[in-house]
Amino acid sequence: MRGLWKEQAAFTGSVSSQVATGNNCKVKKRSRHPPTSSNQLEAPEHSHSPSQEMLLHRSRATEAQQDDKFANILDVVGEFGTFQRKLVGLTFIPNILLAFFMFADIFTFTAQKPYCNTSWILAVDPNLSEAQQLNLTLPREPNGSFQTCLMYLPVAWDLESIIQFGLNHTESCQDGWIYPETKKRSLVNEFDLVCGKDRDTEGVQTMFTAGLLIGSLIFGFVSDKLGRYATILMSLLGLTIFGFGAAFVNTFHQYLFFRFGVSQALVCYAISSVCLATEWLIGQHRAHAIILEHCFFSVGVMYLTGLAYTLPHWRLLFLVGGAPVFPLISYIWIVPESPRWLLMKGKLEKAKQVLCYAASVNRKVIPLSLLDKLQLPGKKVTKASVLDFYNNTHLRKVTLMMGCVWFAVGYSYFTLSLKLKDLGVNIHFTQVVPGIMEVPARLCCIFLLEQIGRKWSLFATLCHGCLMCFLVLILPSELKSMIVLMVVLGEFSLAASVSVFFIYTAELLPTVLRATGLGLVSLAWASGAISSLVISHQKLTLLPIFLCWVSAALALFFCTLLPETQGQALPDNLEHCFLQTRNMAEDPLTEDVVLMDGTAEVRNRTIRNSTILKADSDIPSNASCQDASLQGGGKDTDPRND
């Protein structure tokens, strides 16, 4: 044992001498400048070079990762091995279906031109053609076209009298409607949602958004209580019943109920899948996985558009488009539970089993010393509840700030979509072009996140998206081409901001309340969507502009107040969350002290000390995860079956 300590001391001394030598070299190079007096140190110039700031950020990230024992274990398991790639791949099909079921109403409520059913005249002469029937029984508009919601009152005359004298008395449609110019079967002509009943189509959007509101509130809480695995299966079951099952409804009210149910399943999966990816992956792989997951959401929009263009019936659209939900039944056996969530719930042995199973898939070995460092959470962690979002200052601030940001994103996105619809643009164009543009928009987030971090990436994308929304609202409708371009560019930026938002929010919130927090801020997104729908039906022209400007200004202001999370340890409980916030709040002061007192020396000393402490903690054991495998943790079987 003494030999080990001597070797460590010798190694530490050699490292220190090398660092000192390097520092001396740097000092000699800088000797051309005059020495700095003590008075000058009291008022230093804040000339932070990008290289110094990047090195400081990396040193803090290294310290944070060394303190995060769970991240160390995941690093040994494999940052992005076979297990993690399979986990990310499992999100592809569900996200395609999420987009399909979310935007299906756009193609099931296509505009129809109805005419009153006047088949009563066929009793007078059954040989009349459809054109003759309409010409004799329907009144005309001043421009010569047939009126859609009025018909002539039936009379007991023969055909010659009707042709000679004509019909004069009109009334509303009594025997339903016909759609002679329609080639596809939609919900409009299935349930006759015309001539006063067309307002029911607005109820579909209201019910769907209400489902998003309720689902965000309920299933975020359920995910933190029952786990990510259970809520993902619940969401997939909801997609099967309420998504695919919508093809078999018999009444319009049944369809409303099914849309209400599927919207809750959508938000349930969106929250749970982001939490699962956040808690299984580390570093840049976490952001890349969530961005790739959202790219397949955009693929789902194009998938829906292609099916809607080719299939002639709305029921076939749900049957064919929703069929891929059935292979997802296999997720019962292949989706893993989050080990971080298991640990926070006191299920230490199950967390170890899941980690060892992932290591076996990646063909890695976890040292037993690392597994032994995992400890059960304290009482404060197990008692975490939704009330902590009110009692805890950090959670309250983060939730309110991100909620404001999410409201601005939801309001701006829906405002752009409704504006494009009001311009009379082809519905296939309004879905395909933004869907294609959103894929590179989300991929661009990878570059932004690596260069400027989470906070400023969200600020930049949100700023550009809200600016486009503001320009769309103030431009005159005569500039149709310019407005369409602004809408596409705005949706491009807002799609990127959505991906950054999910990554950023998931890293700000602790594991014990991560899903609940995502659900609460999703309430703000649904509120923004509802506000956009309500205001769009009003005749007020200044209110949409005012709300867009105010929400964007507040959201951008709050973005600047949030702490950066890139390279920071993922908080698991409320105590970690508080420490992370305090450390981030001290960043400006820390940078000034470091730059005043020798940046390289302090940074190297910090990294060297943390390395020594790390080596001290890892010396006692060289055992491997093979011993843990003997306890049932390293078997190539699904640990949930134990």
Side-chain angles (χ1 to χ4, degrees):
M1 189 67 183
R2 293 179 179 176
L4 291 175
W5 282 106
K6 289 180 179 179
E7 292 178 1
Q8 181 187 355
F11 172 76
T12 304
S14 62
V15 171
S16 302
S17 62
Q18 292 175 4
V19 173
T21 303
N23 290 339
N24 292 334
C25 294
K26 292 181 180 179
V27 171
K28 290 179 180 179
K29 291 180 180 179
R30 295 177 182 177
S31 61
R32 293 174 297 178
H33 301 281
T36 305
S37 63
S38 58
N39 295 333
Q40 290 175 333
L41 286 175
E42 294 178 0
E45 294 182 1
H46 296 276
S47 58
H48 303 263
S49 65
S51 60
Q52 289 177 334
E53 292 183 358
M54 182 61 67
L55 290 173
L56 286 171
H57 180 74
R58 289 178 180 176
S59 65
R60 295 190 189 106
T62 302
E63 294 178 7
Q65 290 178 358
Q66 289 175 354
D67 293 336
D68 190 356
K69 299 175 182 178
F70 210 97
N72 295 333
I73 295 179
L74 291 179
D75 189 26
V76 175
V77 170
E79 290 188 3
F80 201 68
T82 304
F83 179 85
Q84 286 86 352
R85 288 194 293 268
K86 289 181 178 179
L87 177 65
V88 175
L90 291 175
T91 64
F92 292 166
I93 295 179
N95 272 279
I96 292 175
L97 292 175
L98 254 62
F100 176 86
F101 290 123
M102 185 172 185
F103 298 107
D105 290 332
I106 296 176
F107 299 98
T108 57
F109 287 94
T110 54
Q112 306 287 336
K113 197 169 185 180
Y115 299 107
C116 294
N117 181 13
T118 57
S119 57
W120 62 268
I121 200 172
L122 296 179
V124 180
D125 188 351
N127 297 323
L128 288 174
S129 64
E130 185 177 45
Q132 292 174 331
Q133 176 185 342
L134 296 178
N135 187 44
L136 293 174
T137 58
L138 296 181
R140 292 181 178 271
E141 297 286 355
N143 59 4
S145 61
F146 294 113
Q147 294 187 10
T148 56
C149 297
L150 292 176
M151 58 176 286
Y152 286 122
L153 188 67
V155 293
W157 296 354
D158 56 16
L159 183 60
E160 294 181 359
S161 300
I162 293 176
I163 296 175
Q164 181 179 0
F165 299 103
L167 302 177
N168 297 318
H169 300 287
T170 60
E171 63 176 357
S172 59
C173 302
Q174 301 295 325
D175 300 321
W177 292 265
I178 59 174
Y179 307 86
E181 301 175 4
T182 302
K183 298 180 180 179
K184 291 187 177 183
R185 189 75 167 172
S186 69
L187 282 164
V188 174
N189 50 35
E190 178 86 12
F191 300 114
D192 291 330
L193 303 177
V194 292
C195 297
K197 296 183 180 180
D198 50 355
R199 294 184 178 179
D200 294 339
T201 59
E202 301 174 4
V204 176
Q205 295 177 333
T206 303
M207 290 294 292
F208 188 87
T209 312
L212 292 177
L213 278 169
I214 297 176
S216 300
L217 185 62
I218 294 177
F219 288 105
F221 174 78
V222 172
S223 180
D224 283 330
K225 289 297 181 183
L226 302 182
R228 319 313 186 203
Y229 169 77
T231 47
I232 285 178
L233 294 185
M234 291 172 59
S235 64
L236 297 179
L237 179 63
L239 292 179
T240 305
I241 296 175
F242 298 106
F244 183 82
F248 303 98
V249 299
N250 296 320
T251 64
F252 180 68
H253 292 92
Q254 290 179 3
Y255 182 81
L256 288 177
F257 174 74
F258 273 67
R259 295 301 292 170
F260 177 77
V262 78
S263 62
Q264 297 185 58
L266 295 178
V267 72
C268 176
Y269 180 83
I271 293 173
S272 300
S273 63
V274 169
C275 290
L276 188 65
T278 300
E279 293 161 6
W280 261 113
L281 302 174
I282 58 177
Q284 61 181 358
H285 301 293
R286 179 189 302 145
H288 295 175
I290 295 176
I291 290 172
L292 188 61
E293 180 180 344
H294 289 175
C295 287
F296 275 84
F297 183 87
S298 301
V299 173
V301 175
M302 293 181 281
Y303 169 70
L304 166 65
T305 307
L307 288 180
Y309 184 78
T310 55
L311 297 177
H313 203 293
W314 71 271
R315 294 186 188 272
L316 285 176
L317 181 64
F318 279 101
L319 289 173
V320 177
V325 76
F326 290 103
L328 302 184
I329 297 175
S330 61
Y331 280 32
I332 298 175
W333 299 279
I334 59 179
V335 171
E337 181 56 274
S338 167
R340 284 184 181 269
W341 179 86
L342 289 172
L343 185 62
M344 291 300 102
K345 291 300 179 181
K347 302 178 181 180
L348 181 60
E349 293 303 320
K350 288 186 178 180
K352 291 181 178 180
Q353 291 176 15
V354 171
L355 289 170
C356 287
Y357 172 72
S360 65
V361 174
N362 291 339
R363 298 182 180 181
K364 299 287 186 178
V365 175
I366 306 177
L368 189 59
S369 59
L370 285 179
L371 287 176
D372 292 340
K373 291 180 180 179
L374 292 180
Q375 299 177 357
L376 292 175
K379 294 182 180 180
K380 292 183 179 180
V381 176
T382 56
K383 291 183 179 180
S385 67
V386 69
L387 295 178
D388 289 315
F389 287 96
Y390 174 77
N391 298 326
N392 187 279
T393 304
H394 168 76
L395 290 180
R396 183 169 64 250
K397 289 181 178 179
V398 168
T399 305
L400 291 176
M401 291 179 182
M402 297 306 282
C404 184
V405 174
W406 211 210
F407 178 89
V409 172
Y411 176 81
S412 300
Y413 190 88
F414 271 79
T415 300
L416 293 176
S417 300
L418 293 173
K419 188 67 175 180
L420 201 60
K421 182 179 178 181
D422 294 339
L423 293 175
V425 182
N426 183 271
I427 58 173
H428 297 90
F429 174 84
T430 60
Q431 298 302 311
V432 171
V433 174
I436 295 175
M437 294 290 292
E438 285 179 5
V439 174
R442 299 182 193 278
L443 294 178
C444 287
C445 293
I446 297 176
F447 174 79
L448 287 176
L449 292 173
E450 292 178 353
Q451 296 299 319
I452 60 177
R454 272 61 163 157
K455 177 169 70 173
W456 296 113
S457 296
L458 181 61
F459 182 90
T461 54
L462 180 61
C463 180
H464 184 265
C466 292
L467 177 62
M468 293 298 104
C469 181
F470 181 74
L471 293 177
V472 165
L473 292 174
I474 63 176
L475 287 176
S477 57
E478 290 79 11
L479 301 175
K480 184 176 179 180
S481 301
M482 182 64 69
I483 293 177
V484 172
L485 177 61
M486 294 294 179
V487 169
V488 173
L489 292 177
E491 291 185 347
F492 179 92
S493 298
L494 291 176
S497 66
V498 169
S499 296
V500 177
F501 176 85
F502 271 107
I503 298 169
Y504 194 17
T505 308
E507 292 177 347
L508 283 170
L509 297 170
T511 300
V512 289
L513 292 172
R514 181 167 291 117
T516 305
L518 284 173
L520 290 177
V521 296
S522 297
L523 286 174
W525 178 83
S527 301
I530 292 177
S531 301
S532 178
L533 292 173
V534 172
I535 294 176
S536 65
H537 296 296
Q538 306 295 327
K539 300 301 182 181
L540 302 175
T541 57
L542 294 178
L543 183 59
I545 300 175
F546 175 77
L547 187 58
C548 177
W549 178 257
V550 172
S551 62
L554 289 176
L556 294 174
F557 171 73
F558 286 140
C559 278
T560 61
L561 301 180
L562 291 169
E564 179 59 68
T565 60
Q566 185 174 10
Q568 299 297 317
L570 196 67
D572 284 327
N573 51 47
L574 299 180
E575 288 79 7
H576 294 167
C577 202
F578 170 76
L579 292 175
Q580 181 192 53
T581 307
R582 186 182 65 182
N583 293 337
M584 297 307 298
E586 294 174 354
D587 271 354
L589 178 61
T590 305
E591 285 191 11
D592 292 340
V593 173
V594 169
L595 289 175
M596 287 188 297
D597 203 15
T599 304
E601 182 179 356
V602 175
R603 180 171 61 255
N604 292 331
R605 186 185 304 164
T606 302
I607 297 176
R608 185 170 66 253
N609 292 338
S610 62
T611 304
I612 294 173
L613 293 175
K614 182 65 179 176
D616 291 343
S617 62
D618 287 344
I619 283 176
S621 64
N622 292 319
S624 67
C625 194
Q626 295 174 354
D627 297 331
S629 302
L630 296 177
Q631 300 176 3
K635 299 179 182 179
D636 291 337
T637 56
D638 193 337
R640 292 189 313 274
N641 297 331
D642 295 342

